[in-house]
Structure formats: structure tokens, C-alpha cells
Amino acid sequence: AAIATEQVHVAARAVLQQISQMKEKAPQSATGLRGTVTIGLPASVAQAISVEFIKRVKALYPAVTPCIFEYPSSYLAELLVNHRLDQALLFMEDLARGIEAIPLLIEDFYLVGIPVEDPSEAQALTLIQDHPMVMPALPNNVRTIVEDACRAAGIRPNIVAEGSNPQTLLRLVRAGVGGTVPPLSALLPTDIECTPAIHIDPPLCRKLALCRAVDVPQEPLQLAIRDLVVEVIDNLVARGHWPGVRRFAP
């Protein structure tokens, strides 16, 4: 499976290089920026920003082709340091040597699919010991943070099923198999209506950063896309379109 995945990415990168070469022959754009930009996004982050990001890229830089890769944050970090991505939004817990990070957001986790008397009240982490849970399979950023918190609190999660796709876990929640612990960005509005999100006390969270490989020169196109990613995220948060996050404060 690992060999097959490697072959897929080698082939994908070759196609992207061919696209870039073709665009070099295209007329210069009004902004002077053209080419292909590859950016890695974890699945929940992609759900929150990908449409807005691509619309902004095409509006401002019509000769630029954005290409989004959706994978777990830890795998995106590997692709980034191996120069298979130009930029990536990564969770800071997954950063590796050779990556420069601009911290942007803190994203809280919530309990969903667990019956409580008042979902608006913060609830203790002990709920995931008392109720069946469907959780992301390791390696996974959310799972690691939850298990570390449980270990520190002397809690053992009651995990009855695991999965690698957040939407599959939410389907299991809707089917009544158990609860789970996602960020709000992983939920659809209908999910929140059917299974109210419960804030955890003390909070569990992860930090999101915009990253690049330190040994890659920052060309004008990359700098423009970096600034645009930050702008899109700021606008989404300001308009309340990315719930459950707050700006990172050094």
C-alpha cells in the first residue's frame, strides 16, 4: 500500500510539473503571476476553506492554477519537507524539522452524539469513558490529543469502532453507534442540528499553522498565495463561517 501511495504522488507531481511547463508558454497575466501552486489541507480544514480559497485565487490571479491535496496533517508534513507541496496548513503538533510555520488558529474539539441534559453547558472529558465512542484510527491528530488528555486524567475511552474518514465517523454517530470528538469544522449544519456539539471542559484543542519547507526560496507567487490563505482564513473567522476556532495569540 505504501509503494502504491508513493507511485501515485510521484505521478501526480509529474503531471503538475507538466502543467507548470505548459503555463510558462502562456501569455503573461495582468498581475504577472502564473503557474501551479500545490497546497496541502487536512480534510476538516479543506471543508472549511477550500471553496473560498480557490474562488479568491481565480478572482485575483486568473493565470494561477491552485491544486489542493487533502491528507492527514502528519502525512502533509512529510510531503512538504520532500518538496511535493508548495505550502500546507498543518497542525503544529505534527510539525517536523525543516518546516517554517506561521501559527494562525486554535481549533477546539467538541463532543457529539452523546446524550446530556443541557448541551449548552461544558462537559467533563469523563463522558467518553461512560459512553460508547467511534474515534479516528491512529495515526491521527485528534485521536492523539484526546488520548493524551485521557491518560493525564486517568480516563480510558470506551472506543467501540474506529475509522479513517471523519464523515464515516459522523455517519456512525447519526446511526447511534456512539459519540465522537471532532472540531466543528468537520461537522455539517445538519449534524449540529441532529447531534448538538458539547464543549469540553477543560478545553481540548489543536493549533493550525501555515507552513512551508525552509529550504525552498519564497518566490512572488508563493508569497502572494501565503498572504491570500491568511486573508481567506481571517475573513471566514470574522464572518463566523468557521465556528469553533479563535485566532492564535503568541
Side-chain angles (χ1 to χ4, degrees):
I3 294 175
T5 301
E6 177 72 13
Q7 291 172 339
V8 167
H9 284 288
V10 170
R13 192 61 177 182
V15 170
L16 292 174
Q17 290 173 345
Q18 291 172 4
I19 292 173
S20 294
Q21 292 168 0
M22 293 171 60
K23 286 183 173 293
E24 288 176 359
K25 301 176 182 179
Q28 186 80 354
S29 72
T31 64
L33 297 179
R34 54 193 170 88
T36 300
V37 175
T38 57
I39 182 166
L41 301 177
S44 61
V45 175
Q47 181 163 296
I49 79 165
S50 57
V51 172
E52 185 78 11
F53 168 68
I54 290 179
K55 286 171 63 177
R56 289 291 291 154
V57 171
K58 300 314 295 181
L60 294 175
Y61 311 116
V64 172
T65 301
C67 181
I68 291 177
F69 286 81
E70 293 184 41
Y71 289 102
S73 175
S74 57
Y75 185 52
L76 291 174
E78 179 183 336
L79 294 178
L80 192 63
V81 297
N82 288 318
H83 304 165
R84 293 180 182 167
L85 295 173
D86 296 317
Q87 302 183 42
L89 284 167
L90 305 177
F91 301 118
M92 293 183 67
E93 295 81 5
D94 297 322
L95 297 187
R97 183 175 298 177
I99 290 178
E100 178 185 86
I102 303 173
L104 296 178
L105 294 176
I106 298 174
E107 187 172 38
D108 289 332
F109 299 156
Y110 289 76
L111 292 164
V112 298
I114 296 178
V116 294
E117 291 185 4
D118 187 355
S120 65
E121 293 185 356
Q123 302 289 330
L125 192 61
T126 52
L127 282 175
I128 73 173
Q129 179 175 255
D130 302 330
H131 296 274
M133 302 294 296
V134 293
M135 295 292 291
L138 291 168
N140 175 272
N141 181 273
V142 173
R143 175 72 175 271
T144 298
I145 292 172
V146 170
E147 288 203 346
D148 287 348
C150 288
R151 193 176 300 110
I155 296 169
R156 173 170 291 190
N158 179 19
I159 298 174
V160 298
E162 300 178 337
S164 60
N165 187 319
Q167 295 308 311
T168 297
L169 295 178
L170 290 172
R171 284 195 291 270
L172 291 172
V173 170
R174 296 184 207 111
V177 175
T180 193
V181 188
L184 291 187
S185 59
L187 303 178
L188 301 173
T190 51
D191 292 319
I192 298 176
E193 292 173 5
C194 298
T195 57
I198 306 163
H199 197 262
I200 302 169
D201 186 28
L204 293 183
C205 62
R206 60 188 179 188
K207 300 178 180 68
L208 184 70
L210 178 58
C211 302
R212 71 177 188 93
V214 296
D215 58 349
V216 175
Q218 296 194 73
E219 299 176 352
L221 175 57
Q222 299 303 328
L223 291 171
I225 295 300
R226 179 200 65 185
D227 293 344
L228 189 57
V229 170
V230 175
E231 175 194 317
V232 166
I233 289 176
D234 281 344
N235 288 339
L236 287 171
V237 174
R239 302 200 313 266
H241 291 178
W242 192 343
V245 300
R246 56 191 186 276
R247 287 306 307 264
F248 181 87

